[in-house]
């Protein structure tokens, strides 16, 4: 089957394509407390077609990541006493990202204040389109960040709990969908509201994506989504990347649930089903 007509298609790879022309993505994620989140986001970006994935993380996690992320380019960074990524990584991350096409920030960051400061500064200063997720979103809301202050396109991917903090900080209506639309209009961002029926909001449009399944109700699946969207963001406009990425993620959950049962699916299972889901959204030659 193919994706519905309202799901944007990912450009097909052309003859002569090489790893440097299908997207170079910088994932900034992970902590001692939440090691898996960064790994899932990085692998999500790879499986979604990124040619190169660079992964910046707290340096004490190098051995753990090196043992399993063979195709990811590892970039250990300064860390805090509790193994969160330190805000002193800022200048390196900014400088390195200039040569890339997209970024993903926040999976597994923890709520360490230094990591939160890094998230807020990257939101303002990263010069490439970027997805902000998980504790990066908490840092933006709890730190009182100005969501309109960003150097390049931003995609936010909150679940209802993370979104509630935004709504409180910005004093928005209690209806989540109304509040999400308001955030996007006021700040020129794209927002994926993650729920059993995800909705993608842009500055001037809204789209429900119904490809998902309750099989996705397990820890780490949101980190995979962040990676998928970041890979698409390297090759598509933010709205398209968010809608198509959410569709692919949902299809992976549905396919996994059908084969494994919804109760048995874990986040890393989604990678097995990405080829089938991706075929549905790639342009035909």
């Amino acid at each position: 089957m193919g994706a519905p007509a309202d799901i944007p298609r990912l450009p097909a790879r052309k003859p002569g394509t090489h790893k440097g022309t299908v997207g170079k993505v910088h994932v900034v994620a992970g902590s001692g407390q939440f090691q898996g989140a960064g790994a899932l986001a990085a692998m999500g970006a790879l499986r979604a077609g990124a040619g190169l994935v660079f992964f910046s993380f707290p340096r004490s996690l190098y051995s753990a990541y090196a043992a399993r992320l063979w195709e990811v380019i590892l970039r250990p960074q300064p860390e805090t006493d509790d193994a969160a990524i330190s805000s002193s990584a800022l200048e390196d991350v900014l400088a390195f990202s200039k040569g890339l096409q997209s970024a993903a920030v926040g999976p597994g960051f923890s709520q360490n204040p230094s990591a939160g400061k890094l998230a807020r500064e990257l939101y303002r200063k990263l010069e490439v389109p970027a997805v902000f997720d998980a504790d990066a979103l908490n840092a933006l809301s709890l730190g009182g960040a100005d969501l309109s202050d960003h150097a390049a396109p931003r995609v936010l991917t909150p679940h209802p709990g993370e979104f509630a903090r935004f709504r409180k900080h910005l004093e928005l209506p209690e209806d989540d969908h109304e509040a999400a639309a308001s955030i996007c209009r006021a700040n020129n961002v794209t927002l994926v509201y993650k729920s059993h029926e995800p909705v993608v909001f842009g500055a001037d449009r809204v789209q429900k994506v119904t490809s998902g399944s309750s099989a996705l109700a397990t820890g780490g699946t949101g980190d995979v989504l962040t990676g998928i969207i970041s890979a698409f963001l390297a090759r598509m406009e933010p709205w398209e990347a968010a809608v198509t990425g959410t569709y692919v993620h949902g299809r992976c959950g549905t396919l996994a649930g059908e084969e494994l049962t919804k109760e048995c699916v874990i986040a890393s299972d989604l990678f097995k089903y990405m080829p089938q889901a991706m075929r549905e959204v790639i342009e035909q030659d």
Side-chain angles (χ1 to χ4, degrees):
M1 64 171 285
D6 60 355
I7 302 299
R9 268 39 179 187
L10 183 72
R13 294 192 180 193
K14 305 299 182 183
T17 293
H18 59 80
K19 63 188 177 185
T21 61
V22 289
K24 293 178 282 187
V25 179
H26 195 178
V27 176
V28 187
S31 67
Q33 186 179 8
F34 302 112
Q35 297 180 31
L40 290 166
M43 286 303 299
L46 270 179
R47 283 294 187 189
L52 291 167
V53 175
F54 303 90
F55 180 20
S56 287
F57 56 88
R59 60 190 173 204
S60 65
L61 306 182
Y62 178 82
S63 295
Y65 288 141
R68 64 179 301 175
L69 298 176
W70 293 357
E71 301 92 345
V72 174
I73 301 167
L74 303 179
R75 306 190 71 251
Q77 296 290 344
E79 63 179 29
T80 64
D81 291 343
D82 58 351
I85 193 166
S86 168
S87 61
S88 61
L90 177 65
E91 294 308 319
D92 175 80
V93 171
L94 289 175
F96 185 78
S97 297
K98 287 182 178 180
L100 311 183
Q101 280 75 56
S102 68
V105 180
F109 252 35
S110 83
Q111 295 192 32
N112 179 281
S114 187
K117 179 180 179 182
L118 176 63
R120 290 188 292 274
E121 289 298 301
L122 290 176
Y123 185 87
R124 291 179 54 231
K125 297 178 179 179
L126 265 177
E127 296 179 8
V128 295
V131 187
F132 280 74
D133 183 36
D135 282 318
L137 296 175
N138 292 327
L140 292 174
S141 57
L142 299 175
D146 177 0
L147 298 182
S148 68
D149 185 9
H150 46 82
R154 301 291 182 249
V155 178
L156 314 180
T157 57
H159 60 55
E162 291 159 347
F163 188 79
R165 298 185 187 97
F166 270 120
R167 198 180 62 228
K168 182 178 180 181
H169 162 57
L170 297 172
E171 299 181 350
L172 291 171
E174 291 189 6
D175 180 275
D176 280 359
H177 287 188
E178 183 180 346
S182 176
I183 287 174
C184 294
R185 286 194 302 269
N187 300 288
N188 193 28
V189 298
T190 302
L191 188 148
V192 180
Y193 183 83
K194 298 186 296 192
S195 67
H196 67 288
E197 289 190 336
V199 183
V200 181
F201 295 87
D204 58 0
R205 47 190 163 172
V206 178
Q207 185 166 334
K208 182 181 290 187
V209 180
T210 59
S211 60
S213 162
S214 60
L216 293 168
T218 183
T221 57
D223 305 311
V224 177
L225 173 62
T226 295
I228 293 171
I229 294 175
S230 70
F232 291 176
L233 196 55
R235 301 175 64 195
M236 306 172 80
E237 293 300 314
W239 170 263
E240 297 173 334
V243 172
T244 306
T246 302
Y247 176 84
V248 166
H249 181 255
R251 284 290 290 151
C252 289
T254 294
L255 294 166
E258 289 172 353
E259 181 172 350
L260 304 176
T261 76
K262 295 174 182 178
E263 287 76 7
C264 295
V265 173
I266 61 174
S268 57
D269 289 331
L270 300 185
F271 300 131
K272 174 183 176 181
Y273 303 93
M274 283 190 66
Q276 183 173 342
M278 289 283 287
R279 287 189 189 100
E280 299 178 14
V281 299
I282 297 173
E283 289 179 348
Q284 300 299 309
D285 292 327

